[in-house]
């Protein structure tokens, strides 16, 4: 015969001591969290950079665009490198009508065109379009997709690009994507995320699929 | 007096030797690219994990959902941790009507509720909903947002969750987000991206802003 004190808790249940420990730990965590939130008071348009060899750089930028649309904002997109990619997002953004201003300006992946003069001219046109959108006060968030690639191949003048981004309207959020972001751009950024490649299905022979890669 | 051979190229122009070097380099790059694409022939529903301390884990998952919607697919979302977050995306997804099946099941951040029994029950309900959506053949991509947090706090049985995910329909893509993904989940995944925190505006006193953080 055993009293209630000897009965082990059934699987999936929680004993009181465990619950109390959890509560104490989470109260401490909440205090830290609340203090951290209280310390942050500034609002500003952010310069955000998504870089690194992993997936999700452009995808997260378009996810941010989606969030801004959900908040009633307007979004601009300039694609510096045109490819077979992002056609899914472009199609989906049609649901938001003229709240998305989408511009595919690049000339395809540079290894497709193999024409440096044409690539430089296309990058210059794309950056001019980016400048137009930065001046458009109805735009809340601007995605400069694969701008890092154009900078990496010196299609654009790095110092000029960074200066223009730094001189943007105070409220404008800008997201720059692409591998190998330049240190000068990272120095100017407010938020930098490095997407790291831990494991990729291409290595297992899986091909690019609609709705996932494009 | 200097002949044409001595004239340096004007700024922004490209000399022929440079153009030729670029072309040769990019031809080589294209050959590698084409070979790599040709080697990938398999199609399968992917188990994708977005983890790491940086931003963009959920954002990239919702970006993938957007891409799938752009391709005409249907998307399911189960949020394992409810917070003030992702309300922007949820609002934006209304544009796609019943092509998005959205379920916020969690009980808030665990440090808000401080109630282990309630958190475990909420996680179990969320996972049951995830199982329903996995069985729904009209769903092409399922986002299990912050499932990693529920696993990290042992709200759910890890082995059971991994087994259920591995036994999913062959065509179903599943995206799991949240910090501190368990090694057993990473082992089962096809694609893992680690979002690394390089620089964060919260450290500079900037607060969470609509359209960016929520």
């Amino acid at each position: 015969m055993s009293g209630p004190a000897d009965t082990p808790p059934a699987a999936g249940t929680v004993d009181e001591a465990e619950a109390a420990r959890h509560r104490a730990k989470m109260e401490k965590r909440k205090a830290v969290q609340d203090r951290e939130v209280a310390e942050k008071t500034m609002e500003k348009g952010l310069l955000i950079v998504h870089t690194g060899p992993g997936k999700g750089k452009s995808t997260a930028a378009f996810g941010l665009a989606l969030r801004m649309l959900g908040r009633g904002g307007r979004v601009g997109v300039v694609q510096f490198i045109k490819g077979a990619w992002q056609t899914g997002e472009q199609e989906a953004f049609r649901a938001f009508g003229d709240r998305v201003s989408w511009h595919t300006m690049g000339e395809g992946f540079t290894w497709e065109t193999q024409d440096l003069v044409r690539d430089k001219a296309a990058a210059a046109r794309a950056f001019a379009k980016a400048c137009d959108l930065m001046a458009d006060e109805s735009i809340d968030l601007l995605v400069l997709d694969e701008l890092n690639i154009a900078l990496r191949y010196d299609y654009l003048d790095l110092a000029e690009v960074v200066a223009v981004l730094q001189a943007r309207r105070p409220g404008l959020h800008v997201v720059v994507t692409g591998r190998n972001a330049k240190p000068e751009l990272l120095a100017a950024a407010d938020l930098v995320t490095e997407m790291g490649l831990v494991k990729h299905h291409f290595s297992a022979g899986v091909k690019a699929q609609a709705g996932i890669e494009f």
Side-chain angles (χ1 to χ4, degrees), chain A:
Chain A
M1 206 181 92
S2 68
D6 300 314
T7 313
T13 66
V14 174
D15 71 24
E16 268 189 47
E18 190 189 355
R21 275 195 305 277
H22 180 79
R23 205 177 309 117
K25 195 168 128 190
M26 290 302 147
E27 273 170 11
K28 208 175 285 178
R29 178 78 190 272
K30 178 167 158 55
V32 172
Q33 195 79 11
D34 288 349
R35 196 169 55 241
E36 283 182 359
V37 169
E39 281 165 0
K40 294 165 190 70
T41 52
M42 206 184 354
E43 290 200 1
K44 68 170 288 201
L46 302 173
L47 179 55
I48 300 169
V49 179
H50 295 170
T51 192
K55 283 181 77 82
K57 298 181 289 292
S58 297
T59 314
F62 293 123
L64 268 176
L66 181 76
R67 188 174 291 162
M68 184 57 84
L69 290 166
R71 289 277 160 191
R74 283 198 78 218
V75 166
V77 177
V78 178
Q79 293 195 285
F80 282 77
I81 308 290
K82 180 185 165 187
W85 315 105
Q86 273 99 46
T87 47
E89 290 91 321
Q90 192 175 359
E91 195 53 43
F93 278 139
R94 287 190 213 283
F96 300 94
D98 69 359
R99 291 209 288 134
V100 178
S101 181
W102 185 291
H103 307 272
T104 300
M105 309 289 291
E107 277 283 0
F109 288 103
T110 58
W111 53 88
E112 294 290 345
T113 67
Q114 302 166 13
D115 185 333
L116 187 53
V117 176
R118 214 169 85 182
D119 288 343
K120 283 196 171 192
R125 279 197 305 276
F127 193 63
K129 175 56 74 179
C131 292
D132 289 350
L133 293 170
M134 278 191 257
D136 177 349
E137 298 203 355
S138 74
I139 300 276
D140 300 288
L141 182 137
L142 178 60
V143 177
L144 302 181
D145 190 43
E146 305 288 13
L147 171 56
N148 288 336
I149 306 293
L151 290 171
R152 179 191 182 187
Y153 286 109
D154 292 320
Y155 293 172
L156 294 168
D157 184 81
L158 174 64
E160 187 197 330
V161 168
V162 171
V164 167
L165 291 174
Q166 284 184 307
R168 73 191 181 282
R169 287 180 281 126
L172 178 68
H173 302 286
V174 176
V175 192
V176 175
T177 77
R179 292 179 183 224
N180 301 104
K182 295 281 187 180
E184 293 84 346
L185 179 67
L186 298 184
D190 298 293
L191 170 60
V192 179
T193 301
E194 164 104 7
M195 273 67 173
L197 179 66
V198 178
K199 196 182 209 182
H200 201 298
H201 51 288
F202 284 179
S203 318
V206 180
K207 69 182 197 177
Q209 298 172 90
I212 298 295
E213 272 85 13
F214 56 95

